[in-house]
Amino acid sequence: MNPTSTSIESLVFGASEWTWPAILLGLCLSFLAGWSYLFRNEMTGIRWLAMALKIAAVAALAFCLLEPLRRVERPRPGANVMAVLVDNSRSMEIKSNASAVSRSEFLAPKLQTETAWQSRLAQDFDVRRYAFDDRLRSVDDLAALDFQGNSSSLAAALTTLQQRFENRPVAGVLMFSDGLATDDVQSLLAQSWPFPIYPVAQAADERLRDLSVTDTSVTLSSFELAPAGIEATVKASGLAGEELVVRLLDDQGETLERQILACDSDPFERKVRFQFRPTEPGFQLVSVRAMLRSDDRDEGQLRSRREVTLANNTRLIAVDRGGGPYRILYVAGRPNWEFKFIRRALEEDIEIDLHGLVRIAKKEPKFSFRDRGVDTANPLLAGFDGDEETAEQYDEPVLLRLGVDEDELKAGFPSGEEDLFTYHAIILDDVEASFFSQQQMLLMRRFVAERGGGLMMLGGQESFLGGGYSETPLGDVLPVYLRGSENALSKDGFVRYQLTREGSLEPWLRLRDNEAQDRERVQQMPDFQTWNSVADVKPGASILAELETTSSKQPGLVAQRFGSGRSLALLVGDFWRWSMRRATEETDDLAQSWRQIARWLTSDVPQRIEVRTQSPSSPLEPHVVRIELRDPAFKPLDNAEISLSVTEPDGQQVQMGASPDPIKAGSYVAEYWSRLDGGYVCEVTATGPDGEFLGTRTQGWTAEPSAVEFARVEANNELLKQLAEKSGGELVSAEDLESFVAALPSKKVPITEARVEPLWHRPWILLFAITCLCAEWAIRRWKGLP
């Protein structure tokens, strides 16, 4: 690059018709001048010099006969756009290890409005000033930028400029950036550009000292041993030999778990894993924070004198244990010990709502004491009454409702979808098939297959084959065959309950931290005395536990998928004995087992209102909130009204709606752009087409655009260089900015203007010819030449 060049020049001739006469005249005069020297005396160096001077004078005069003209092309002032683009993101405030000023502070003097390069640029171009962080915007004064943007949308900014200037003459883009883009810049390198890009690069950084947390994920479990697992990657550069402290913090900043890592390489990268048990259901925030051990503290503002930034040391994670409360309907044919232990166990799980329907008598006779009226509190305690007209309505089972509201299950077991489908699981315990009508059994079959609920049957005298389920709709749902066995219920002898290999791999059947301890726990279980025999298990069903006698093995716990739901058969009739034989007084394995079985039955059961969020792949994209609605029969529900209330990290609430998904029935979609770092809580309210209030659901997510911004801290000059080369520009050093701007008019631009200046009557041409002739004369006189 020639820094003194200010235009594009070319030479033309105004009297081109004199070309050949001028050449002939020049050749003749040059021949005569040469002959006068070559044919008189011996040629010496002085003679050669004198001859050359005379020939040069003749050539200059012959050149003037052609009327030479200089044609100058330069950009038409103000006709071409030159965009000045400045990165306003927080990464511009990074300081190198040895520097006292940040990247933005280094550029600040150059961005002042009255700088020489900006004034020089405005003389030739239509200068447009822009800044970009999460979006592109026009600015009047580059010196007023605060460099507080949470992202560097470099690709989006350049693409927007390209679209904005699609039909305008653009000389180029002068860009001030560190190249740390948070969007997909590689797509820019794959396309052609209509104008050149001139990135202004700063001095390359040495390896900066930095510690960051990336690639976080959360694994949720419905079971007590591993309710939530957190995984993150810790990266460090320039910190070899240091000790790092990684903490898992709750939303109040309290430490849940702490790990110490030795940074034994440069660069350093290692995965860390935490496990914790959420104390409350629903949505909550936790965070993973990594610090140098010398800078780590439990309280107070984070500070570090050795890292270039702390903005990437912490990552927020959303943990959503939502979905509940889950409603389970327990139906028993008689009062028994099993319900007592199930109810006691599930009372400790605030996400489970257990409703009990226990038959205490198969028929209710009408009777009353003679000294009392018929309005006694419990008719079973009243005297008999021989009124035959009213006796028929008492010829029904006497059911005890437990854990329900006043009007729930008042008519007994539900007979309609709107009542039964509000539950997530059903447990049948020692109740015969004739207790249910054919319609109710078909309804339970649909409850599992279509609604996606869970069904569990416990062993007992009136369960499985003994309950007459072999040729019923519920027999199809169960995972075992109910045929070919006369002795369906066994009460003689003892059986051992043993997990199969497949069962020991299921997390909801594990009650200890490792396999060895869990195997020992199973060995300590008591013998059981009541169990049901079945013919076989159905194809696709899984035998999770077996019942071992002295001579044989048979299925003890069998599970299968059925339609959209699942079914489970526990063929032990006195499972409650397990709690009577505890290893310690504090350990109640039966209670924990029942809680985990209940969670398994309900974990994948759909709700009438389901809310899911989809995280964006970049800070430039919104979070997508998807809502699915179902009617009481759990069919997709359209034409509903959805309203969302989003609470941002600063406490501000934003109200918005959701629009129907044009592809999927009963689905609604809303998009939300998360601009701030922190957790967002979204409350979804649904109203049916008839104005019926359907309910609310709470969902949440986290957004950390600043963490993405600081995923890398070293300036990416290589990317800037690739952009320049791909677009036909060049990488400009910040120190050479003024000389580069001065040379910009010499580069190719869309609109130029031409000016023609004559050279033949310029004084310097005549002066050149006279000087050559005078010098030739002086040489001849000096040497005494003729």
Side-chain angles (χ1 to χ4, degrees), residues 645-706:
S645 178
V646 181
T647 304
E648 296 189 324
D650 58 1
Q652 180 180 356
Q653 288 191 341
V654 178
Q655 307 295 327
M656 59 185 298
S659 57
D661 189 329
I663 300 176
K664 187 176 182 180
S667 182
Y668 303 80
V669 181
E671 294 182 344
Y672 194 88
W673 275 261
S674 306
R675 305 294 185 185
L676 303 177
D677 285 349
Y680 294 75
V681 179
C682 176
E683 184 177 87
V684 178
T685 303
T687 304
D690 56 355
E692 176 193 4
F693 174 72
L694 301 180
T696 61
R697 302 290 292 178
T698 301
Q699 182 65 273
W701 64 84
T702 61
E704 292 181 287
S706 62

Side-chain angles (χ1 to χ4, degrees), residues 12 27 42 56 200 215 246-247 284 293 319 327 332 436 462-463 534 542 546 551 572 594 625 706 725 733:
V12 296
L27 290 176
E42 183 181 353
V200 179
D215 301 331
V246 187
R247 293 178 182 265
Q284 68 180 96
R293 191 169 189 177
V319 179
R327 291 161 51 92
F436 306 103
E462 296 180 341
S463 297
V534 294
S542 300
E546 293 179 328
S551 59
V572 176
W594 275 123
V625 182
S706 62
E725 293 176 350
S733 172

Side-chain angles (χ1 to χ4, degrees), residues 90-96 99-108 147 202:
R90 292 174 59 190
S91 66
M92 295 294 288
E93 293 199 322
I94 291 178
K95 298 179 182 179
S96 63
S99 177
V101 297
S102 64
R103 296 165 184 166
S104 60
E105 291 170 342
F106 174 78
L107 290 178
F147 300 97
Q202 301 183 37

Side-chain angles (χ1 to χ4, degrees), residues 138-164:
S138 177
V139 295
D140 297 325
D141 186 5
L142 297 176
L145 298 179
D146 58 2
F147 300 97
Q148 291 300 309
N150 280 332
S151 59
S152 301
S153 305
L154 178 58
L158 290 174
T159 302
T160 303
L161 283 179
Q162 182 183 12
Q163 296 170 352
R164 186 171 297 182

